[in-house]
Amino acid sequence: MTASQRREQLLAVSRRLFAEKGFDGTSVEEIAARAQVSKPVVYEHFGGKEGIYAVIVDREVQALTSALTGALAEGGHPKVIVERTALALLGYIEASEDGFRILVRDSPVAQATGTFSSLIGDVATQVESILADQFRANGLDPKAAPLYAQMLVGMVALTGQYWLDARSPKKTEVAAHLVNLAWNGLSGMERKPALTGPR
């Protein structure tokens, strides 16, 4: 096995273990045993568990970012953009279940970027401008767009986390329900929303 092949093997084995057990529940010993190598081989390629985890997270963030930004960048009617983005996230989950499980766990490495929450924040920032344009067109205050972008992206992300294990209904049906709530709820927004119940 070449060094490159060994590296990919260690990444595949580690990815599965991190998805099953999390960062804290996985040891270098376990990675080495599953890959049928000695511990020094793992250290030689990645410097330790943190190094291999960082490479895996980086790859997953790139894959998910590419899927989501591609869906957002195609343009079109805002409802269609919401549909494409929801389907992009659910498609990533379907194709990369282990990767998504790793991303939604708390990152053990202190870093400002590369975590699921920072990725979702980046997507929300892209959604802000789409919402601001729609708010202006409908006579609503565009200053509220960042808050609504967080709500919308958070709703899709949390639904994705739920669907990861439930896997029912089908991906397209989940996306349709998400869009139904987001779009039909947004279409009836009040200019100055206020709570109606006791405070």
Side-chain angles (χ1 to χ4, degrees), residues 32-73:
R34 282 241 189 133
Q36 298 180 333
V37 298
S38 63
K39 280 173 38 179
V41 172
V42 177
Y43 287 111
E44 177 187 328
H45 283 277
F46 297 100
K49 183 170 77 165
E50 292 81 5
I52 200 166
Y53 183 86
V55 171
I56 291 168
V57 168
D58 185 57
R59 284 183 176 189
E60 295 303 327
V61 166
Q62 286 179 17
L64 182 52
T65 300
S66 176
L68 294 176
T69 55
L72 289 167

Side-chain angles (χ1 to χ4, degrees), residues 3-14:
S4 176
Q5 290 170 328
R6 177 67 72 199
R7 183 177 167 83
E8 291 305 315
Q9 179 212 20
L10 290 170
L11 285 167
V13 165
S14 301

Side-chain angles (χ1 to χ4, degrees), residues 89-90 93 97 100-106 116-117 120 153-167 174 178:
L89 175 65
L90 296 172
I93 292 169
E97 183 176 320
F100 189 71
R101 284 189 192 284
I102 292 166
L103 287 180
V104 297
R105 295 180 194 270
D106 289 336
F116 185 66
S117 60
I120 292 303
V153 172
M155 179 179 73
V156 173
L158 285 174
T159 302
Q161 285 180 282
Y162 165 79
W163 188 71
L164 174 65
D165 292 318
R167 288 304 170 98
V174 174
L178 275 166

